[in-house]
Amino acid sequence: MALVDAFASSPSPMVITDARAPDNPVAWANDAFLQATGYDVEEVIGRNCRMLQGPATDPATVARIRNAVRSAEPISVELLNYRKDGTTFWNAMTITPVRDAEGVAFYYAAQADMTHTHQLEVSMRGTNDELERLVDARTRDLSAALEQKTALLHEVDHRVKNNLQVISSLMLLKARRTPEGEARDALQSMAERIGALSTAHRMLYSEGDCTHFNLGDFATELLADMNAGLDPGRRRVEADVEPIAVAAAMAAPLALLLHELTANALQHAFPEEREGVVSIAARRTSSGMHLTIRDDGVGLAAVPPNPAGFGRNLVEMVVRQMRGTIAWADAGPGTTVEIDIPIQGSS
C-alpha cells in the first residue's frame, strides 16, 4: 500500500495499462499524469494512450513503441504529445512490461516533460548556425588580409589580438561574478576558446612568413597553458605533433579544434578526480594531415548526454568547414578522435 501511495503522490507522471484488455487501455494514472495532460481521470481510464497523439507526432517513434509492446520489451523514447487543450509537449517515457505467472499483465510507463530541453536544442541549433556563419565570414576576412604581408597587416593583427584578450578578460570577469551553473560554465568555456584564438593570432605573426601557421608550435604552447593549470601527478596533456605548416586561414579553425577536443577530454573523461592522460598527435599525409586526440578516461558511453552541450557540435562544425572527416570511438579505456583534414598543395 505504501508503494501505491508513493506512486500516486509522485511528481513524475505515471500510468499503467491493462495488457490483457482489448486495445491495452489505461487502468491507472497518478495525479501528475492528469495534471501534465489536462485530462480528468474519468477521461483517461479505459482509453489507449494514443489519445495523446496528434498531427505532428512522429509515426516512426509510434511504430517503435507498438513493436516493443507487441514483443513485450521495455523501451525508452521521446514523443511529441498533445494535452486535452491541444497544446503540445515533449514526453520522455520509459515503458516496461509487468509480468505475472501467466505472462505480461500490465505495462508501466514513467514519463517526464522534456519540452524545455527541446526548446533549448532548437535555440542551440540556431546559435550554431549563426556561429558557423560568423566563423566563415571571419575566415574569409582573414584570408584576404593575410595576402597583404605588410606592416599594416601586422598592426591589424596586433589590434585583433589585443581585442581578443580584452574580450576574454571581460568574459572571465563576468564568469567569476555569475552564480555557478550553465551560464557560468558557458562564459568560462567561451573565454578559453577566445584565448586559444588569441594565441593563434600571436604566433601567426611572430615569424617572418605571415601566410602560414605552424601547428607544432601552437600545440606546444597550448599544452604549456593547459598543463600549467593541472596537477601533474594526476593529469597531463601530451603531444607528438609534426611541425606542419598550414595556410594562415586555417589558424583559427585549428586553434579552436585542438583547444575544444583537449578541454572536453579534460572536463569529461576524468570524473571524480580520476587520473589520466590526454594525448595529441598530428602527422602529414599524402592529402593533408591526420590528427589523433586520445584519452584514457571513462569513455563515451560512460558520459551522460548533455542536451545543452556545445563542444562536440563546435568540433564537427569546424571539421566540416575545413572539408575534413572525423570519427569518435570508445578506445577501451578512454576515447579516441580521428580527424583527417586536406591541405592544399600537400604531397
Side-chain angles (χ1 to χ4, degrees):
M1 183 62 67
L3 184 59
V4 173
D5 292 341
F7 279 14
S9 60
S10 171
S12 298
M14 299 180 183
V15 65
I16 294 175
T17 64
D18 188 346
R20 291 173 180 160
D23 203 28
N24 194 24
V26 174
W28 174 89
N30 68 353
D31 289 341
F33 177 86
L34 300 176
Q35 293 172 4
T37 62
Y39 286 96
D40 295 328
V41 66
E42 296 82 4
E43 298 174 298
V44 171
I45 301 300
R47 299 179 65 182
N48 188 280
C49 287
R50 74 172 66 91
M51 63 185 287
L52 300 178
Q53 298 173 18
T57 301
D58 180 27
T61 305
V62 173
R64 287 180 56 207
I65 297 174
R66 187 182 300 113
N67 291 336
V69 171
R70 186 181 298 117
S71 304
E73 297 178 350
I75 186 173
S76 296
V77 297
E78 289 189 12
L79 191 68
L80 184 69
N81 278 166
Y82 289 73
R83 301 183 182 90
K84 180 181 177 180
D85 62 6
T87 58
T88 60
F89 67 101
W90 281 98
N91 191 1
M93 65 184 78
T94 298
I95 304 172
T96 306
V98 181
R99 295 177 170 83
D100 59 16
E102 299 178 4
V104 177
F106 302 96
Y107 283 94
Y108 165 74
Q111 306 175 8
D113 189 342
M114 300 297 289
T115 304
H116 180 63
T117 299
H118 279 261
Q119 291 172 342
L120 288 176
E121 290 176 352
V122 171
S123 176
M124 186 58 70
R125 284 196 295 271
T127 301
N128 290 347
D129 292 342
E130 177 64 11
L131 180 59
E132 186 172 39
R133 185 190 68 79
L134 292 174
V135 170
D136 287 342
R138 181 59 178 158
T139 301
R140 288 193 298 269
D141 291 344
L142 286 175
S143 297
L146 291 173
E147 294 175 357
Q148 300 179 21
K149 301 176 71 173
T150 62
L152 176 61
L153 183 62
H154 286 270
E155 177 63 21
V156 169
D157 176 70
H158 177 73
R159 294 185 181 184
V160 170
K161 174 177 65 68
N162 287 347
N163 287 339
L164 288 172
Q165 291 174 340
V166 170
I167 294 170
S168 179
S169 298
L170 288 174
M171 296 189 75
L172 287 172
L173 179 62
K174 180 61 177 177
R176 286 195 292 268
R177 297 184 178 182
T178 300
E180 292 186 0
E182 290 184 4
R184 181 173 183 174
D185 293 341
L187 286 170
Q188 181 75 32
S189 296
M190 290 305 296
E192 292 173 356
R193 290 166 183 142
I194 294 170
L197 289 174
S198 178
T199 299
H201 274 280
R202 174 169 50 80
M203 297 183 65
L204 190 61
Y205 293 98
S206 62
E207 302 293 337
D209 183 4
C210 61
T211 62
H212 289 83
F213 175 70
N214 189 310
L215 186 63
D217 290 344
F218 174 78
T220 299
E221 187 126 351
L222 174 69
L223 264 60
D225 291 341
M226 287 195 163
N227 280 321
L230 300 176
D231 179 354
R234 302 188 63 83
R235 297 175 191 170
R236 67 183 185 277
V237 185
E238 299 177 341
D240 180 14
V241 179
E242 295 180 1
I244 304 171
V246 296
M250 299 179 69
L254 284 172
L256 280 175
L257 184 68
L258 290 180
H259 170 270
E260 199 69 23
L261 287 169
T262 307
N264 280 357
L266 291 172
Q267 180 179 359
H268 300 295
F270 311 112
E272 300 177 357
E273 301 301 320
R274 179 187 176 106
E275 298 181 5
V277 177
V278 179
S279 63
I280 303 172
R283 58 180 176 82
R284 288 296 299 259
T285 64
S286 59
S287 60
M289 74 173 76
H290 181 81
L291 303 174
T292 302
I293 294 84
R294 179 180 289 110
D295 66 72
D296 57 359
V298 296
L300 288 172
V303 179
N306 180 11
F310 177 59
R312 182 162 178 167
N313 289 338
L314 177 60
V315 168
E316 293 179 345
M317 180 195 71
V318 171
V319 172
R320 288 197 305 271
Q321 177 194 336
M322 293 187 290
R323 304 184 184 279
T325 60
I326 183 169
W328 309 75
D330 276 311
T335 301
T336 298
V337 184
E338 303 280 356
I339 302 172
D340 285 287
I341 298 174
I343 300 178
Q344 187 175 6
S346 295
S347 59

